[in-house]
Amino acid sequence: MIYLPLPNRPTPPDLTPVVKAIQDALNNADDTERPGLRKALDIVDEFASADRSPATEEWARKALAVAGVDPSTKEIKAVQALRAARPSLGIKEATALVRSLRS
């Protein structure tokens, strides 16, 4: 999850227990329940990893400008630059953030 420590922004919730509960239900589900549980797991995973707040995108734009990287033409370099600027940023989150800046 992308998290910027801004003073007016609450700490994001830890959705690990929710993911675990849905995964446990999926492991024990019958064939009719599985598609819905998979969809629920995808939704929770997307929610947990896709922070598209204006503050996050603004931080990413500034970090890429400082690094001199254009996310539209150099996606891999942009992901590397964001992860260098914030080492705790996961590759999945950095990639999603770079792709959101291109659109």
Side-chain angles (χ1 to χ4, degrees), residues 41-54:
L41 195 56
D42 290 344
I43 290 169
V44 171
D45 184 46
E46 183 177 329
F47 179 81
S49 65
D51 181 354
R52 303 279 193 268
S53 73

Side-chain angles (χ1 to χ4, degrees), residues 83-101:
R83 294 190 73 211
R86 185 169 302 278
S88 63
L89 186 62
I91 194 165
K92 182 178 177 181
E93 293 84 5
T95 302
L97 186 53
V98 167
R99 288 181 179 165
S100 74
L101 294 176

Side-chain angles (χ1 to χ4, degrees), residues 37-92:
L37 289 168
R38 280 193 191 104
K39 180 67 176 170
L41 195 56
D42 290 344
I43 290 169
V44 171
D45 184 46
E46 183 177 329
F47 179 81
S49 65
D51 181 354
R52 303 279 193 268
S53 73
T56 301
E57 289 185 355
E58 183 62 26
W59 167 81
R61 280 189 196 92
K62 287 179 182 178
L64 293 175
V66 167
V69 179
D70 180 2
S72 300
T73 59
K74 304 280 186 185
E75 181 176 314
I76 294 171
K77 293 283 186 194
V79 169
Q80 291 171 339
L82 290 182
R83 294 190 73 211
R86 185 169 302 278
S88 63
L89 186 62
I91 194 165
K92 182 178 177 181

Side-chain angles (χ1 to χ4, degrees), residues 2-3 6 12-13 15-16 18 23-24 30 44 50 68 74 80 84 86 99:
I2 299 168
Y3 174 66
L6 299 175
L15 297 176
T16 305
V18 175
Q23 186 63 54
D24 289 345
D30 62 33
V44 171
K74 304 280 186 185
Q80 291 171 339
R86 185 169 302 278
R99 288 181 179 165

